[in-house]
Amino acid sequence: MSQEPSPFFGRLPILERIMPSLLAGRPASFVLVGARLTGKSALLRHIETRALAAAEDGHPAPWRPLPVRIDCALLDSPQTLWPRLLGALAAGAAEEQGRCSQAEFFAGEAHSQQECRRLIAELSSAHRSLLLLLDNFDQLLARSIKPAEFCNELYTLTATIGLVITSCKPLYDLNSSLAGASLVSNSTQLFLGLLERTAALQWITFELAEAADSELAAELLSYSGRHPFLLHKLGDCLAELAPLGLTEQATGHALLPFLRLRFAEHGRPLFLDQWALLHDPPPGVSPQALSKLVERLQRGPLGVEAVDGEWLPALNWL
């Protein structure tokens, strides 16, 4: 059975929403939406790991998942997705040679969407369900001349496969032509924010190991703001101290000055990302209204009855 290099923490509501469908071989498509550094890629890798483990352990359902993860940021254009997918499908078919008699024939055919569909059908006959995981999908759409047409081509596969894609923004915000695309209207969008409090504390306790105590964990929870990127960097911070033996010698609040400094350094790109995002709202969101709304939110919680009408587009976007 495959082993993860380290435990995965949190995102249980999202995993509980999508994993039953994906592992049961039921066609479904999901879009994981979140800002940069919120852990979309890590979540996608975790989904892949769970699917691989299910296949290797003799999944009890009649369908054995075949996860294929592709980083769309590494593709030159949408057209190059199909050759990459076909190569992965051919490799999966090679594992089923006894049941997919034409696998070698398909693997040698010209790369095309049609060959992908044919190979998916062959794998289905061997009770293998394709789980296509497309990371950084929004970057691929940005390089597409006709993004809606490309999405519709991809959508034709979703009648027989499981699909999970990641994007920094909702797909309909990327391009106005995508609002009517079948992939967009028929996919379930799930939004990633800060980690659940319990999961964040579990992550902090895991990283601190012997140095963990409830008071220190509570302080670090406050410093991190439950942000996945900063929680991930906690391990890197402690690794800096390990060669000096300081993590063994120093416990509790003795580590806090160093960790506070490192969290401030690692938090800078997060701040810059949010700063850039707030200064480049999508069409339909007034920069002036957005600025007033953020200014008001900084003063404390905002009740529904106190929301100004001109703030609604900005509030929906946030």
Side-chain angles (χ1 to χ4, degrees):
M1 177 177 173
S2 298
Q3 297 291 329
E4 287 188 273
S6 61
F8 182 86
F9 299 95
R11 306 303 186 198
L12 289 181
I14 292 178
L15 290 169
E16 289 172 354
R17 175 69 180 82
I18 68 178
M19 291 309 296
S21 294
L22 298 179
L23 295 183
R26 294 194 296 269
S29 54
F30 301 92
V31 183
L32 304 179
V33 182
R36 286 183 65 249
L37 306 176
T38 50
K40 299 184 299 297
S41 297
L43 178 55
L44 211 61
R45 288 192 297 270
H46 179 67
I47 292 172
E48 179 187 31
T49 298
R50 287 185 58 172
L52 285 170
E56 293 173 3
D57 288 350
H59 197 259
W63 296 93
R64 291 172 56 225
L66 174 63
V68 173
R69 180 169 55 87
I70 298 175
D71 187 352
C72 295
L74 304 178
L75 301 180
D76 295 328
S77 69
Q79 289 70 33
T80 57
L81 172 65
W82 304 108
R84 284 287 302 275
L85 177 56
L86 184 58
L89 289 172
E95 300 177 5
E96 305 289 339
Q97 284 183 1
R99 286 166 285 181
C100 294
S101 58
Q102 302 183 65
E104 291 186 10
F105 170 77
F106 287 134
E109 287 285 291
H111 292 163
S112 66
Q113 299 174 42
Q114 291 74 19
E115 295 309 317
C116 285
R117 294 191 184 94
R118 292 168 66 185
L119 196 47
I120 289 171
E122 283 293 306
L123 287 164
S124 295
S125 68
H127 299 286
R128 297 300 304 272
S129 58
L130 173 63
L131 171 52
L132 182 57
L133 309 171
L134 299 180
D135 202 7
N136 298 306
F137 186 70
D138 51 332
Q139 295 188 36
L140 190 61
L141 284 182
R143 294 192 283 273
S144 175
I145 300 175
K146 299 179 179 179
E149 183 178 312
F150 172 62
C151 282
N152 286 332
E153 290 172 352
L154 187 60
Y155 177 71
T156 61
L157 296 181
T158 60
T160 55
I161 72 169
L163 174 67
V164 184
I165 62 183
T166 70
S167 173
C168 284
K169 298 179 181 179
L171 298 184
Y172 48 74
D173 278 350
L174 297 174
N175 188 297
S176 59
S177 68
L178 293 175
S182 298
L183 181 67
V184 176
S185 57
N186 291 285
S187 295
T188 300
Q189 294 202 102
L190 301 169
F191 294 84
L192 275 69
L194 301 177
L195 219 58
E196 310 92 279
R197 178 184 174 85
T198 300
L201 282 171
Q202 289 173 342
W203 195 341
I204 290 170
T205 302
F206 171 80
E207 296 291 358
L208 290 174
E210 290 82 5
D213 65 59
S214 58
E215 198 172 337
L216 176 59
E219 288 281 356
L220 293 177
L221 183 71
S222 174
Y223 290 170
S224 69
R226 297 186 284 118
H227 197 288
F229 177 72
L230 292 179
L231 290 167
H232 172 72
K233 287 299 181 182
L234 175 59
D236 294 344
C237 296
L238 295 172
E240 289 184 59
L241 300 176
L244 305 176
L246 295 181
T247 52
E248 298 175 0
Q249 298 170 19
T251 58
H253 285 266
L255 292 172
L256 283 177
F258 170 79
L259 294 175
R260 186 185 298 116
L261 173 64
R262 285 292 185 260
F263 270 33
E265 293 171 347
H266 291 307
R268 182 172 176 78
L270 295 179
F271 172 81
L272 293 176
D273 270 359
Q274 294 303 311
W275 181 266
L277 189 66
L278 290 173
H279 284 75
D280 185 27
V285 175
S286 164
Q288 293 77 18
L290 176 62
S291 178
K292 291 179 182 178
L293 174 60
V294 171
E295 197 173 295
R296 171 59 185 82
L297 290 172
Q298 288 177 323
R299 297 200 299 268
L302 178 64
V304 176
E305 69 285 350
V307 175
D308 191 300
E310 69 169 346
W311 295 350
L312 289 176
L315 190 61
N316 289 332
W317 176 61
L318 289 174

